[in-house]
Amino acid sequence: MPSKTSSRRSSAGSGYPDDDPYGYGSPDQDSRGERSGRSGGHNLKPKKKKKVHSPLWTKLVLVLGAVVTLVGFGGVAVAKSLMGDLTSSIETGTVSEDGAKVEKQDARTALKGPIDILMLGLDTRDGWAANTSRADTIIILHIPATHDQAYLISIPRDAEVAIPSWKKANYNGTAHDKINAAYYFGSQHGQGWQGGAGLMKKTVEQLTGLKFDGVVVIDFNGFKNVIQAMGGVYMCVERDTWSSHYIKNKKGEPQYYSYNGDHKLSNSWIHKAGCRNMAAWEALDFSRQRYGLANSDYDRQKHQQQLLKSMAKKATSAGVITNPLKLSELIKAAGASLKMDTNGVPLDDFIFTLKSLAGSDLIALKTNAGTYAKSDFGSGEGITQGTKDMFKAASDDRLGDFITDNPEYLIPDKTGQ
């Protein structure tokens, strides 16, 4: 992909863990893997922030969802050690269509203005072939030129869009299909995650008008180890939500139960309404539910963004960033969950450039104002004009102004503490 020089730059049994294909782990373990007896508004325009002096192991934030690990350090020796842990565990590659070698870029130039990163969460399960996955989660991370905020925009997985061709996978493109299929088509004929991510990137760029500085492929199941390293995450459940993956066993404990689709069982596990610290299995399972919810996939988008924000908040808490052992474990776990293309910018420079986001606002936005929009083509979902306007605002780096004028696209912060 060419360097971003567009005009927008100048505009501002028990079934677990062995029988658990999702990798959630045993619910009767707490988030550290130990046995447990326990089963409004935002000021969105760019603003100057007061400098805060952080500990030696300063700012680490997980965006995931979301999903990139962003690290900045105050000590040179510690910086090299922890950055080495991170970069050595992340698989990197090039998602260009022709497979040509991407020239090395200087982060100070390539990432000077607004930064856009495409984050893909895969629907993968043990035993599946590498070319059978689809992108279950599609999130745009937009960082304005001020580099003091970050926006998360989820694209509905069933959005009906045009999918362009991808020659290396022998795919000729289609006028409309569900967007999550783009990853599948691009990964065929031995192209793997790089082909899948490449075609998804091309598809989303065509849809939104954005040009991505990086692509991150996230194994959401791999987040289990990240959340466990954190000691759990704080999540809020708006209303009782039944699980399509877990049931309640005879002892009243959660037990993995394959997949029962949109059919609620008499003994389906219920995620009870309320706010609490969740272990990895519960947080991941809750964030994946869409059946029985008021707004189906839009509520799931909201919950996945909530999970990413909660992970970011927990990762920057004092109990994590002041503990070098826990921080190192967290960095290694996070890196193992990611595959990245940084468009020619060295990985450590790419991550270090984003260090200022560690204490910044992470603002979650919803497409179609959070309601289902019927597609003009098939059984999937449409993209409203308002959403297209939001994409244009991101491309022009004026999302703050857009949300001020269209607050219905803002997802309130439900991360609690």
Side-chain angles (χ1 to χ4, degrees):
M1 184 180 72
S3 177
K4 283 172 100 174
T5 56
S6 63
S7 59
R8 76 181 183 92
R9 282 300 190 204
S10 59
S11 63
S14 65
Y16 44 71
D18 293 337
D19 295 331
D20 179 358
Y22 286 92
Y24 293 158
S26 172
D28 65 354
Q29 293 179 339
D30 68 15
S31 52
R32 294 175 302 278
E34 299 168 354
R35 302 293 293 185
S36 170
R38 299 186 303 276
S39 353
H42 291 264
N43 178 13
L44 298 176
K45 292 189 176 182
K47 54 186 180 295
K48 292 185 177 179
K49 293 183 176 291
K50 183 179 179 181
K51 291 286 185 180
V52 178
H53 293 285
S54 301
L56 179 62
W57 305 275
T58 53
K59 308 169 179 179
L60 179 148
V61 64
L62 296 170
V63 179
L64 21 197
V67 300
V68 183
T69 309
L70 313 173
V71 188
F73 303 94
V76 175
V78 174
K80 290 183 177 179
S81 174
L82 295 183
M83 186 67 79
D85 287 343
L86 175 62
T87 56
S88 64
S89 58
I90 296 177
E91 182 179 344
T92 59
T94 301
V95 300
S96 62
E97 185 170 9
D98 58 8
K101 184 178 180 180
V102 177
E103 293 185 8
K104 184 177 179 180
Q105 295 196 71
D106 188 331
R108 292 170 298 180
T109 302
L111 303 177
K112 184 178 181 180
I115 301 170
D116 293 298
I117 299 171
L118 178 62
M119 302 191 297
L120 307 174
L122 300 187
D123 182 9
T124 57
R125 306 175 196 182
D126 288 349
W128 284 19
N131 64 342
T132 57
S133 296
R134 295 181 180 236
D136 194 53
T137 301
I138 307 163
I139 297 178
I140 296 168
L141 174 64
H142 173 75
I143 302 165
T146 52
H147 290 193
D148 64 347
Q149 291 179 317
Y151 297 88
L152 293 174
I153 304 174
S154 291
I155 297 178
R157 63 192 291 275
D158 292 334
E160 292 270 358
V161 302
I163 300 179
S165 63
W166 195 256
K167 296 178 180 178
K168 293 185 69 177
N170 292 341
Y171 178 67
N172 295 322
T174 183
H176 53 85
D177 203 336
K178 292 181 179 180
I179 193 170
N180 69 334
Y183 187 93
Y184 169 82
F185 292 135
S187 66
Q188 301 305 301
H189 295 281
Q191 298 309 299
W193 76 266
Q194 296 178 44
L199 180 53
M200 182 63 78
K201 169 179 166 288
K202 186 178 180 181
T203 302
V204 178
E205 287 183 340
Q206 178 175 277
L207 173 67
T208 64
L210 293 165
K211 293 296 181 183
F212 290 106
D213 299 280
V215 180
V216 180
V217 178
I218 305 165
D219 175 7
F220 269 93
N221 300 326
F223 274 177
K224 175 190 69 172
N225 295 330
V226 179
I227 298 173
Q228 287 176 346
M230 291 180 179
V233 289
Y234 193 83
M235 296 280 286
C236 291
V237 181
E238 304 99 311
R239 61 185 65 86
D240 287 0
T241 303
W242 59 271
S243 172
S244 59
H245 302 116
Y246 280 87
I247 60 172
K248 193 180 298 182
N249 65 18
K250 293 181 180 180
K251 295 181 179 180
E253 300 169 339
Q255 175 179 315
Y256 180 75
Y257 180 78
S258 186
Y259 177 67
N260 54 301
D262 58 355
H263 303 292
K264 180 182 179 181
L265 305 176
S266 60
N267 60 340
S268 289
W269 179 259
I270 306 296
H271 296 283
K272 291 292 186 180
C275 298
R276 57 190 174 275
N277 198 65
M278 290 186 178
W281 79 269
E282 185 179 9
L284 288 168
D285 185 62
F286 172 64
S287 72
R288 297 190 72 139
Q289 301 310 313
R290 62 170 171 154
Y291 299 116
L293 299 175
N295 290 300
S296 188
D297 194 49
Y298 290 96
D299 281 343
R300 178 169 66 170
Q301 291 176 25
K302 179 173 63 176
H303 297 154
Q304 289 176 343
Q305 291 181 344
Q306 179 192 355
L307 175 61
L308 298 180
K309 293 181 69 173
S310 295
M311 291 174 70
K313 188 171 293 187
K314 186 65 175 286
T316 54
S317 65
V320 175
I321 63 175
T322 59
N323 185 328
L325 180 59
K326 180 175 287 189
L327 182 58
S328 181
E329 292 175 352
L330 179 59
I331 287 174
K332 290 178 180 178
S337 302
L338 306 177
K339 298 178 176 65
M340 293 183 65
D341 173 22
T342 59
N343 193 33
V345 176
L347 183 56
D348 52 351
D349 290 344
F350 187 94
I351 294 171
F352 198 81
T353 298
L354 305 180
K355 64 183 182 298
S356 60
L357 289 177
S360 69
D361 293 330
L362 187 58
I363 302 163
L365 307 178
K366 48 192 172 184
T367 50
N368 295 350
T371 56
Y372 180 84
K374 189 177 184 305
S375 170
D376 295 331
F377 304 107
S379 60
E381 299 178 45
I383 298 294
T384 64
Q385 183 58 50
T387 296
K388 294 176 182 177
D389 293 341
M390 180 168 64
F391 292 153
K392 182 65 165 59
S395 180
D396 293 340
D397 197 23
R398 52 178 184 83
L399 267 179
D401 292 334
F402 175 85
I403 299 304
T404 298
D405 296 335
N406 302 274
E408 67 273 18
Y409 284 82
L410 176 69
I411 298 177
D413 188 350
K414 296 292 185 180
T415 56
Q417 295 176 336

